[in-house]
Amino acid sequence: MKGKLLFIFCNCVMICFAQKQQPLEPAILEVQYSFSMQLDTLTRNQQREDLTILRIGKRISQFFNYNRFYGDSLATDPEGKKLWGQLMVQAIRQRNYDSMPGSKTKGDYLYKNYPDGKVTTTDQLLVDFFRYEEDYVPQAWQMTDSVKQILDYSCQKAECYFRGRHWTVWFTPDIPISEGPWKFNGLPGLILEAYDAHKDYHYMAVGMRQTYLTPVTFYNFDEKKFIETDRITFLRSARKLRESNDPNRDMEAATGIDLSDGKPSIPRERKTNYEFIERDYR
């Protein structure tokens, strides 16, 4: 294969359990994507980046933030847990949340066609873990004649409108796998780049490999109960939490860590400039 080798709160209806690591099926391809997003979609001066992984099997694929994966692995490893705890407490006490180990962008775990015909997402709000499903369907793509090269592959341009954003993607028919980063699928080739109209969200393939692959695996590192919800409810809850004018009190209530140092909490202005990748929840 051509290309570079680089390795680089909520209403609930039920509770479910998951093992710490549950292999689902062997992987046939793994693609690494650089992922960037704007934390302020008005000024566009607060860009964050992470490495993300698309792991593809014959029936199921998974997509996740590698830095979130690393942080979760560290937090649940007997040798790494102490260091993880020290870093977390230090970041919270200094109110320097960007220094927390883990994701700097999106930190959800996504599984396509698991279960059959569904996309399953697991995510976290404060100290609670959530899981929701949605139908696994392709986007309504419009093909174009534009072409360009990515990782030495000839790519064709396609566009769609998906959940409040206009997306442009570049896919390669040279890899005839109808897959892509995040929730994208349904094109006659692997998607190597995807971005919305303002590039508030941007995925770019930076490498791939076909050998020595980790199986497509369902992760629940904390082995905690997932709260079952739905996508819209989860996003509305996440928005409510983000717009809180007293995030330190929210964090204290969730973690039990005193952040006041004997001083009254200073409310912040509501931070609403950031918009989620999906905008159809309002």
Side-chain angles (χ1 to χ4, degrees), residues 168-187:
T168 298
V169 306
W170 296 87
F171 71 95
T172 176
D174 293 342
I175 307 177
I177 299 176
S178 184
E179 265 293 354
W182 189 48
K183 298 180 180 181
F184 296 122
N185 71 98
L187 285 166

Side-chain angles (χ1 to χ4, degrees), residues 5-8 30 32 51 53 55 66 206-209 211-214:
L5 177 63
L6 184 67
F7 214 86
I8 343 224
E30 184 175 287
Q32 300 91 41
L51 178 68
I53 304 294
R55 190 177 291 156
Y66 178 77
V206 294
M208 62 183 72
R209 64 174 186 165
T211 58
Y212 303 103
L213 300 178
T214 300

